[in-house]
């Protein structure tokens, strides 16, 4: 069975053999993915014609109501998505991060828009700014919907959350969306679209399962492209003439060698020591470490590194790898065998700079499944004492993998953090306000989000790896240089800002 795409309001399958997608746990075939023969030009025209017009008739709160209805429809049927997620290796906890996280994000956006955006189709950003002495000439900024579409290309690891966190601000901004999910988990995204499409205006959402050859040729300066995935794909797409010549807006979220720092005050026995070890293991094991925000580089004071190794190893020893839902399983499979091969290759490179101190990249005990048919991998903790080596700062093993490294002083720590060349998320775990301030001010320029974790906030903290819809998600440099979420900032980012000039009276009459 070839997975169907949702184009021009109907579900239809691509031609040809397609790309096979296997169950991450059993290796059995799930579906085939092909977009061969699908008319993407007609889909773009349909979005521009039908979707743009339908969304344009709605004010911001009306769009918020449609988004809320879509999210609630998904909530009703989330068990279907959990079941499909298990086929992609996700435990119930993993699926909740993706499915409930996605629904929650859409609901937060609906609420932010209802409360924070006008009952209008344009946003007036400021009061008139006087530009003449007599007060007859002024300027002010308005945000309006571009006459375009949003093409959203997502990574495999969050087929629901990754789609909804892009979809929500685009729809609120009035842009119809064409979603292109990653092939390995496209069947989960497609199911979610089946559930939500009826709640959205005609043409507001379309989905292409498979490649999108020629699609960028149809995009231009009124269009938006949202991309999540590897830095290599981001580089290829951002050099397309749609972006370089015709100035389609391009936002990228890419690889990230996120760090977490343990403070010198957080010695064994202090709550922060345990918080650090717990957070590291959580980040290594949720979604089997296939999270763009996971901690890849863990910096600890040189005099504490042995104690940290011991504490983390003890926690990793309690991780049970196996089939989602099987007795006692706490970590599922990677999305597929190719992904497991990629991670093993990356770990071999990392191990060249130091050593694997927990786990065996070639072997893992598995509960409820066959270790070789499924894409299972042990959690792998590495230690690199020679922090001048490039590998831990450059190689992203997109799996249950993290590397411990020592630092000696804050100046050295600043340098180590900066060697990630830009990250989505960082954290410092310490109860020493002076140290925290020093680290955060040094690290902020390299990060899109930075978490401080200590005994005071731990009970409510959302953790290192969880992007929040109210807060910015994105990062400079290697992380893609983009910005998503951040509350209504993401809606504004999809709109065109125009400075209007004229008499205060005419400006008022325009924005009324
Ligand atoms: P990927 O191979 O770069 O693929 C990402 C998306 O791009 C997929 O939908 C893929 O489709 C599509 N794609 C590939 N070539 C394309 C082309 N020429 N034109 C249009 N679309 C194209 O990345 P991935 O393996 O799915 O994801 C893993 C990577 O994503 C990791 O490096 C991770 O760090 C990063 N990531 C970042 C974030 C973030 O928020 N920053 C989140 C998650 C993941 P196909 O699957 O059909 O090839």
């Amino acid at each position: 069975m070839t997975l169907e795409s949702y184009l021009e309001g109907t579900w239809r399958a691509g031609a040809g053999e397609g790309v096979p997608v296997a169950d991450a746990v059993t290796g059995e075939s799930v579906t085939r993915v092909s977009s061969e023969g699908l008319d993407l030009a007609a889909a773009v025209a349909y979005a521009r014609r039908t979707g743009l017009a339908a969304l344009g008739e709605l004010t911001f709160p009306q769009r918020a109501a449609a988004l809320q209805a879509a999210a609630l429809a998904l909530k009703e049927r989330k068990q279907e998505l959990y079941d499909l997620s298990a086929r992609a290796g996700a435990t119930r906890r993993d699926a909740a991060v993706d499915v409930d996280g996605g629904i929650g994000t859409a609901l937060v956006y609906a609420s932010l828009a209802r409360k924070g955006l006008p009952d209008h189709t344009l946003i007036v950003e400021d009061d008139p700014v006087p530009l003449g002495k007599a007060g007859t000439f002024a300027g002010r900024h308005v945000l309006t919907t571009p006459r375009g579409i949003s093409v959203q290309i997502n990574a495999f690891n969050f087929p629901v959350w990754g789609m909804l966190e892009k979809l929500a601000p685009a729809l609120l901004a009035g842009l119809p969306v064409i979603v292109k999910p990653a092939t390995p988990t496209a069947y989960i995204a497609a199911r979610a679209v089946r559930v939500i499409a009826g709640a959205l205006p005609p043409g507001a959402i379309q989905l292409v399962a498979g490649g999108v050859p020629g699609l960028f040729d149809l995009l231009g300066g009124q269009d938006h492209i949202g991309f999540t995935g590897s830095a290599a794909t981001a580089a290829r797409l951002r050099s397309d003439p749609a972006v370089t010549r015709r100035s389609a807006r391009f936002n990228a979220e890419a690889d990230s060698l996120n760090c977490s720092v343990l403070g010198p005050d957080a010695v064994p026995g202090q709550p922060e020591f345990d918080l650090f070890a717990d957070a590291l293991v959580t980040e290594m094991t949720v979604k089997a470490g296939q999270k763009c925000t996971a901690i890849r580089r863990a910096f600890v004071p040189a005099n504490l590194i042995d104690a940290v190794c011991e504490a983390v190893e003890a926690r990793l020893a309690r991780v049970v790898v196996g089939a989602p839902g099987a007795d006692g399983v706490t970590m599922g499979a990677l999305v597929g065998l190719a992904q497991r091969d990629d991670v093993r290759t990356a770990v071999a490179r990392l191990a060249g700079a130091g050593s694997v101190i927990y786990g065996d990249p070639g072997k893992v005990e598995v509960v409820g499944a066959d270790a070789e048919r499924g894409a299972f991998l042990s959690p792998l903790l590495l230690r690199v004492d020679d922090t001048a080596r490039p590998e831990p700062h450059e190689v992203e093993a997109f799996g249950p993998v993290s590397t411990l490294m020592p630092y000696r002083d804050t100046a050295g720590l600043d340098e180590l953090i900066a060697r990630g060349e830009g990250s989505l998320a960082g954290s410092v775990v310490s109860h020493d306000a002076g140290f925290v301030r020093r680290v955060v001010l040094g690290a902020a320029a390299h990060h899109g989000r930075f978490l401080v974790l200590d005994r005071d906030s731990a009970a409510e903290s959302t953790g290192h790896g969880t992007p929040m819809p109210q807060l910015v998600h994105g990062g400079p440099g290697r992380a893609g240089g983009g910005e998503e979420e951040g509350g209504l900032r993401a809606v504004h980012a999809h709109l065109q800002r125009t400075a209007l000039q004229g008499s205060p009276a005419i400006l008022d009459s325009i924005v009324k």
Side-chain angles (χ1 to χ4, degrees):
M1 278 281 285
T2 302
L3 184 68
E4 289 180 322
S5 294
Y6 184 60
L7 300 173
E8 300 175 76
T10 59
W11 289 91
R12 55 188 84 173
E17 280 290 288
V19 177
V21 176
D23 186 307
V25 178
T26 63
E28 287 162 9
S29 166
V30 175
T31 189
R32 306 185 78 84
V33 173
S34 165
S35 60
E36 201 182 310
L38 297 179
D39 190 345
L40 299 185
V44 169
Y46 178 70
R48 291 196 197 289
R49 195 180 58 244
T50 307
L52 194 60
L55 285 165
E57 279 170 18
L58 304 181
T59 64
F60 293 114
Q62 289 171 326
R63 292 173 198 160
L67 180 62
Q68 184 186 29
L72 293 177
L74 218 43
K75 199 169 174 185
E76 283 286 301
R77 290 176 58 182
K78 62 184 182 182
Q79 187 60 45
E80 291 172 37
L81 297 172
Y82 292 160
D83 294 345
L84 289 178
S85 302
R87 304 206 72 183
T91 63
R92 178 61 206 274
R93 171 176 74 158
D94 300 338
V97 175
D98 185 34
V99 176
D100 297 65
I103 294 168
T105 297
L107 290 173
V108 167
Y109 264 99
S111 162
L112 288 172
R114 249 194 339 267
K115 292 183 195 145
L117 295 180
D119 192 17
H120 209 301
T121 54
L122 65 78
I123 296 172
V124 185
E125 270 201 315
D126 43 17
D127 290 330
V129 183
L131 296 171
K133 281 191 180 146
T136 63
F137 187 61
R140 66 196 310 188
H141 294 88
V142 294
L143 300 172
T144 59
T145 303
R147 298 288 177 261
I149 67 171
S150 176
V151 171
Q152 304 180 348
I153 300 171
N154 294 319
F156 70 79
N157 55 342
F158 286 110
V160 180
W161 174 83
M163 178 168 72
L164 292 177
E165 60 99 20
K166 286 191 179 70
L167 189 69
L171 291 182
L172 289 172
L175 289 182
V177 172
I178 297 179
V179 180
K180 187 249 167 292
T183 292
T185 51
Y187 59 96
I188 304 172
R191 177 66 63 91
V193 169
R194 276 189 193 271
V195 176
I196 65 177
L200 297 173
I205 186 165
Q206 300 183 79
L207 173 136
V208 184
V212 286
L215 179 62
F216 276 37
D217 297 343
L218 306 168
L219 303 180
Q222 294 290 306
D223 300 313
H224 176 271
I225 301 161
F227 171 80
T228 300
S230 64
T233 310
R236 196 169 335 127
L237 298 183
R238 82 162 86 240
S239 63
D240 191 280
V243 181
T244 56
R245 298 225 183 108
R246 298 190 295 280
S247 304
R249 293 183 191 200
F250 184 79
N251 191 77
E253 305 282 325
D255 311 355
S256 187
L257 288 149
N258 312 292
C259 71
S260 185
V261 176
L262 180 69
D265 59 304
V267 297
Q270 293 299 313
E272 286 72 23
F273 183 85
D274 291 318
L275 288 170
F276 181 84
D278 288 343
L280 187 55
V281 172
T282 298
E283 292 303 318
M284 288 175 71
T285 55
V286 173
K287 297 277 307 176
Q290 299 164 111
K291 267 171 52 189
C292 52
T293 50
I295 300 167
R296 302 294 174 205
R297 303 180 300 149
F299 298 126
V300 302
N303 63 331
L304 296 181
I305 192 163
D306 291 331
V308 172
C309 286
E310 218 173 283
V312 177
E313 284 179 61
R315 284 162 173 79
L316 289 174
R318 297 198 287 269
V319 173
V320 179
V321 179
D327 231 13
V329 166
T330 56
M331 189 177 102
L334 300 184
V335 75
L337 296 176
Q339 181 63 19
R340 183 174 67 180
D341 288 347
D342 283 358
V343 175
R344 282 179 171 157
T345 305
V347 169
R349 287 184 63 197
L350 289 169
S355 55
V356 178
I357 60 166
Y358 182 89
D360 179 342
K363 210 168 76 205
V364 60
E365 232 172 79
V366 164
V367 174
D370 181 311
E372 277 316 302
R373 279 170 175 272
F376 295 101
L377 198 63
S378 161
L380 297 162
L381 183 67
L382 291 97
R383 174 171 172 167
V384 171
D385 286 294
D386 180 3
T387 55
R389 291 286 299 237
E391 294 90 338
H393 310 287
E394 290 176 5
V395 178
E396 183 200 40
F398 202 60
V401 184
S402 201
T403 302
L404 281 168
M405 284 177 270
Y407 70 87
R408 285 182 173 74
D409 51 39
T410 43
L413 181 60
D414 284 345
E415 271 177 45
L416 291 176
I417 291 172
R419 289 187 61 195
E421 293 185 0
S423 297
L424 296 168
S427 57
V428 54
V429 189
S430 162
H431 201 236
D432 174 345
F435 176 78
V436 165
R437 182 172 188 276
R438 172 75 181 70
V439 170
V440 172
L441 294 183
H446 303 290
H447 289 86
R449 179 169 62 82
F450 209 88
L451 166 83
V452 180
L453 182 60
D454 63 15
R455 65 194 75 177
D456 300 332
S457 62
E460 282 202 298
S461 177
T462 48
H464 171 103
T466 309
M468 300 302 294
Q470 300 88 342
L471 305 181
V472 157
H473 174 61
R478 193 196 300 274
E483 194 174 294
E484 292 179 337
E485 303 201 286
L488 292 177
R489 288 177 186 87
V491 180
H492 293 183
H494 286 79
L495 297 168
Q496 175 62 44
R497 177 176 292 107
T498 307
L500 301 182
Q501 292 174 285
S503 74
I506 197 75
L507 294 185
D508 259 354
S509 78
I510 291 169
V511 302
K512 255 207 313 249

